[in-house]
């Protein structure tokens, strides 16, 4: 895949047309749909050091409800980015672990973390 940048071109009659427009979805949008959901990047980041039990993961991600974490973990598991394991303990516990495919996101997530930390603290975030 090549990295194309779309541009606008005007024809002889003054009509404007997009050239090399992104196909739906373009690579950036596809990536954002995969890991751009709220809490998704944080979940992957917190799994980078090894398997984590669900309740411990929920404690690590302040502000996210257990319902939301469960939903995101299911999506990540369906996409092959996270592996779920039910432990034979009493009571039963579940751990989550990042897969090799999921690890491929850690580089740009770290870049995003560094960029975010460099922004002014008073920058408005929804």
């Amino acid at each position: 895949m090549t990295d194309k940048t779309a541009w606008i071109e005007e024809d002889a009659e003054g009509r404007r047309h997009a050239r090399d427009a992104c196909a739906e979805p373009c690579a950036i949008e596809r990536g954002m749909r995969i890991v751009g959901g709220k809490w998704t990047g944080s979940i992957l980041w917190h799994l980078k050091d090894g398997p984590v039990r669900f309740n411990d993961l929920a404690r690590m991600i302040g502000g996210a409800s257990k319902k939301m974490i469960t939903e995101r973990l299911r999506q990540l598991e369906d996409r092959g980015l996270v592996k779920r394991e039910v432990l034979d303990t009493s009571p039963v516990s579940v751990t989550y672990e990042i897969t090799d495919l999921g690890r491929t996101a850690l580089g740009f997530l770290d870049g995003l973390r560094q960029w975010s930390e460099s922004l002014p603290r008073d920058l408005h975030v929804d």
Side-chain angles (χ1 to χ4, degrees):
M1 181 183 292
T2 59
D3 183 20
K4 294 182 179 180
T5 302
W7 75 94
I8 301 297
E9 191 174 80
E10 196 170 304
D11 66 18
E13 288 81 34
R15 293 180 296 229
R16 299 170 63 81
H17 305 279
R19 298 290 181 219
D20 283 337
C22 293
E24 283 296 320
C26 70
I28 296 292
E29 181 59 28
R30 182 171 182 259
M32 291 302 296
R33 289 179 187 184
I34 293 168
V35 297
K38 193 168 186 178
W39 307 112
T40 303
S42 293
I43 290 169
L44 288 172
W45 188 256
H46 288 294
L47 295 177
K48 71 182 175 15
D49 295 324
V52 178
R53 290 182 183 217
F54 177 81
N55 284 326
D56 290 338
L57 183 62
R59 287 181 190 100
M60 295 165 91
I61 303 174
S65 70
K66 287 185 176 185
K67 179 181 176 186
M68 178 60 72
I69 294 170
T70 298
E71 183 180 312
R72 293 298 182 243
L73 283 166
R74 285 183 183 145
Q75 290 172 345
L76 289 166
E77 187 179 8
D78 289 346
R79 293 172 179 159
L81 301 174
V82 166
K83 181 178 91 171
R84 178 181 187 264
E85 183 177 356
V86 178
L87 304 176
D88 187 22
T89 59
S90 181
V92 174
S93 294
V94 177
T95 63
Y96 292 89
E97 184 174 6
I98 193 168
T99 63
D100 289 340
L101 178 60
R103 285 193 177 285
T104 64
L106 294 177
F108 70 80
L109 288 174
D110 188 46
L112 179 61
R113 179 192 58 80
Q114 290 177 37
W115 175 74
S116 178
E117 288 175 350
S118 74
L119 297 173
R121 285 281 172 206
D122 61 348
L123 183 67
H124 178 72
V125 179
D126 291 330

